[in-house]
């Protein structure tokens, strides 16, 4: 599939109706100040520095494919990329003793955009390799540190059921066909970052663990504005997901989102409790256009939404902030059970590269070229094992 993608990037026409991943209305690239990060800001110069973080498992394989596709696309679009590959996650733990070395973070912060593969892994596919490490020495901690260090607070995760892959969904065709939604997840607040947190004992001298779900008004407002802007450029429908019937943090969330709605009269706002949203995503996913929610709910719901498409290996994501480089990554994990076997589906990472071009650098034409090549690859029937079905062509993933 890697070779097929490279071949198709060159001849494909840029404008194709199905190539606008995760955005229903064909509209200009979102403004730099609203829902995407700033690129280098070098007026008239189309030269960018990209930090590549291959990570663990299949990460190096899929990032290598995306790098090749980016390089070819750049040559056709008159762009010049300077790639800097740095360690992160388990590979950084093994090499440097920490999941996010200072040099890696400094390099990422000094670049125009960051492309991440995957982190984590297992030994013999049974035991998590770094399971006995202290929390600050786990691969996932490096990812949280990277997001915080880059200041990327808005995570955009499209979930689109492509016509070519509707039969790959585990849902009935009439339920899955036509699904096209975007989850906007708050990324740097909430229970994953809130303090106090830790371990202790209660009055009965029992061990306890505790975390804090904490959001400020400004944190809610900024992610809500991103979501309203995204919804405005799609179908004008925004569903805010919370648990305001139980949680005080969600009560404030709903209050702030509702207050901001008056600034976006062209966007229809609705609210839904997270347990109902989880059910409705399976029952009737087409009712959703844009969803905005907090960190932990977004983590869960975006993974659930990804399976509507039939494979987590198809879906990209973009994490952006008010300034500085954005972070772009597939939503799948490191899949160590297939690492090095040429089975990994690289399309989520390739589409993450397209989001990098679109949202991170403002290179809309280059992004559309990649999206169109992915569509044409699927149109020609090529499939990796995770999306293979009768009548299609099973192909290797990343090495061929």
């Amino acid at each position: 599939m890697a070779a097929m993608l490279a071949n198709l990037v060159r001849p494909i026409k840029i404008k194709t109706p199905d190539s606008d991943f995760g955005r229903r209305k064909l509209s200009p690239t979102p403004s730099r100040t609203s829902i995407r990060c700033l690129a280098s800001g070098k007026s008239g110069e189309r030269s960018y520095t990209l930090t590549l973080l291959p990570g663990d498992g299949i990460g190096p394989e899929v990032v290598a494919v995306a790098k090749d596709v980016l390089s070819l696309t750049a040559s056709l679009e008159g762009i010049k990329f300077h790639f800097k590959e740095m360690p992160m996650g388990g590979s950084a733990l093994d090499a440097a003793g920490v999941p996010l070395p200072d040099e890696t973070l400094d390099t990422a912060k000094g670049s125009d955009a960051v492309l991440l593969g995957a982190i984590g892994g297992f030994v013999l596919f049974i035991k998590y390799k770094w399971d006995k490490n202290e929390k600050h020495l786990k691969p996932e901690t490096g990812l949280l540190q990277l997001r915080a260090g880059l200041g990327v607070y808005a995570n955009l995760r499209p979930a689109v059921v492509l016509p070519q892959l509707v039969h790959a969904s585990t849902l009935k065709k009439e339920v899955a066909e036509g699904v096209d939604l975007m989850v906007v997840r708050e990324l740097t607040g909430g229970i994953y970052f809130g303090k106090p947190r830790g371990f202790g004992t209660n009055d009965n001298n029992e061990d306890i663990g505790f975390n804090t779900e904490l959001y400020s008004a400004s944190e809610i407002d900024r992610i809500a504005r991103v979501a309203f802007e995204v919804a405005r450029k799609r179908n004008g429908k925004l569903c805010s997901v919370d648990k305001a019937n139980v949680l005080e943090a969600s009560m404030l969330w709903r209050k702030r989102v509702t207050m901001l709605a008056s600034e976006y009269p062209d966007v229809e706002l609705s609210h839904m409790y997270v347990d109902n949203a989880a059910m409705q995503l399976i029952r009737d996913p087409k009712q959703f256009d844009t969803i905005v929610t907090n960190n932990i709910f977004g983590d869960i719901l975006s993974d659930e939404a990804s399976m509507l498409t039939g494979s987590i290996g198809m879906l990209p994501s973009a994490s952006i902030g008010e300034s500085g480089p954005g972070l772009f990554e597939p939503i799948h994990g490191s899949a160590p059970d297939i690492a090095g076997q040429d089975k990994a589906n690289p399309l989520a990472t390739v589409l993450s590269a397209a989001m990098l071009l679109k949202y991170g650098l403002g290179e809309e034409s280059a992004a559309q070229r990649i999206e169109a090549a992915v569509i044409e690859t699927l149109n020609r029937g090529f499939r990796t094992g995770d999306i293979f079905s009768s009548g299609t062509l099973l192909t290797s993933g990343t090495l061929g």
Side-chain angles (χ1 to χ4, degrees):
M1 184 173 284
M4 176 60 64
L5 275 169
N7 289 333
L8 291 177
V9 166
R10 187 181 304 274
I12 288 298
K13 294 180 180 179
I14 292 176
K15 294 291 184 181
T16 58
D18 293 328
S19 68
D20 198 51
F21 281 81
R23 193 173 53 181
R24 292 184 179 178
K25 291 182 181 178
L26 291 176
S27 57
T29 301
S31 68
R32 291 172 182 245
T33 58
S34 58
I35 67 168
R36 56 157 300 215
C37 63
L38 287 167
S40 61
K42 301 173 184 177
S43 178
E45 183 180 345
R46 300 175 68 208
S47 177
Y48 306 103
T49 298
L50 303 184
T51 296
L52 304 180
L53 306 175
D56 312 314
I58 63 171
E61 300 171 37
V62 294
V63 167
V65 174
K67 179 182 178 182
D68 288 344
V69 172
L70 280 169
S71 295
L72 179 55
T73 303
S75 69
L76 299 171
E77 292 286 334
I79 302 170
K80 186 175 182 180
F81 287 133
H82 303 278
F83 296 104
K84 294 184 177 181
E85 188 170 312
M86 303 297 294
M88 184 193 162
S91 60
L93 278 166
D94 291 343
V98 292
L100 183 66
D102 291 341
E103 185 181 0
T104 296
L105 180 57
D106 290 343
T107 300
K109 292 170 70 173
S111 62
D112 295 306
V114 181
L115 182 65
L116 171 65
I119 60 168
F122 292 79
V123 175
L124 299 178
F125 320 128
I126 298 175
K127 183 175 69 174
Y128 188 54
K129 183 176 180 181
W130 299 279
D131 189 50
K132 294 184 178 180
N133 287 18
E134 295 183 33
K135 184 176 182 295
H136 70 285
L137 295 178
K138 291 179 182 288
E140 295 80 5
T141 299
L143 181 56
L144 295 177
Q145 292 171 340
L146 178 65
R147 290 169 177 170
L150 293 177
V152 289
Y153 64 84
N155 181 234
L156 311 183
R157 288 192 177 187
V160 182
V161 178
L162 299 174
Q164 302 89 338
L165 299 178
V166 67
H167 294 292
S169 176
T170 56
L171 299 181
K172 294 179 180 178
K173 181 180 179 182
E174 58 266 28
V175 176
E177 192 169 34
V179 168
D180 181 353
L181 61 90
M182 177 78 81
V183 178
V184 180
R185 167 191 172 192
E186 201 289 322
L187 202 58
T188 57
I191 201 166
Y192 290 170
F193 292 90
K195 295 180 180 179
R197 61 188 300 158
F199 300 95
T201 56
N202 62 15
D203 293 340
N204 295 324
N205 203 33
E206 294 177 303
D207 290 339
I208 61 170
F210 56 93
N211 297 87
T212 301
E213 170 75 356
L214 178 66
Y215 273 107
S216 67
S218 61
E219 287 177 313
I220 299 169
D221 289 357
R222 68 180 184 179
I223 190 65
R225 291 185 190 281
V226 169
F228 275 112
E229 292 288 346
V230 170
R232 174 177 276 173
K233 291 175 170 61
R234 288 173 52 87
N235 273 3
K237 293 176 59 180
L238 176 62
C239 180
S240 177
V241 174
D242 58 43
K243 192 62 175 170
N245 58 336
V246 176
L247 302 176
E248 283 79 4
S250 280
M251 296 174 192
L252 178 62
W253 180 283
R254 182 172 291 208
K255 176 183 177 181
R256 300 301 303 185
V257 173
T258 301
M259 288 176 58
L260 286 176
S262 62
E263 300 179 20
Y264 300 88
D266 53 331
V267 177
E268 176 188 340
L269 174 65
S270 62
H271 300 276
M272 190 175 292
Y273 296 143
V274 64
D275 44 354
N276 186 31
M279 179 183 70
Q280 294 296 333
L281 273 173
I282 301 301
R283 176 183 174 272
D284 182 20
K286 287 194 285 285
Q287 70 181 280
F288 297 105
D289 179 58
T290 305
I291 295 172
V292 62
T293 191
N294 69 13
N295 204 339
I296 189 169
F297 296 162
D299 192 3
I300 297 166
L301 292 178
S302 58
D303 277 357
E304 181 187 3
S306 73
M307 292 313 298
L308 301 174
T309 69
S311 174
I312 201 170
M314 285 296 302
L315 298 181
S317 75
S319 300
I320 56 179
E322 294 176 351
S323 63
L327 175 64
F328 303 85
E329 59 183 304
I331 73 168
H332 61 67
S334 61
D337 55 320
I338 61 170
Q341 300 177 42
D342 201 11
K343 294 181 179 179
N345 184 344
L347 294 184
T349 311
V350 170
L351 291 172
S352 295
M355 292 189 81
L356 180 155
L357 291 167
K358 182 183 299 182
Y359 292 105
L361 304 179
E363 295 286 354
E364 182 81 15
S365 174
Q368 289 181 352
R369 186 183 290 275
I370 292 177
E371 292 170 347
V374 169
I375 290 293
E376 185 62 17
T377 298
L378 296 173
N379 283 341
R380 297 189 183 189
F382 292 96
R383 304 286 190 272
T384 46
D386 58 313
I387 54 174
F388 175 76
S389 61
S390 177
T392 59
L393 301 173
L394 182 62
T395 182
S396 59
T398 57
L399 305 179

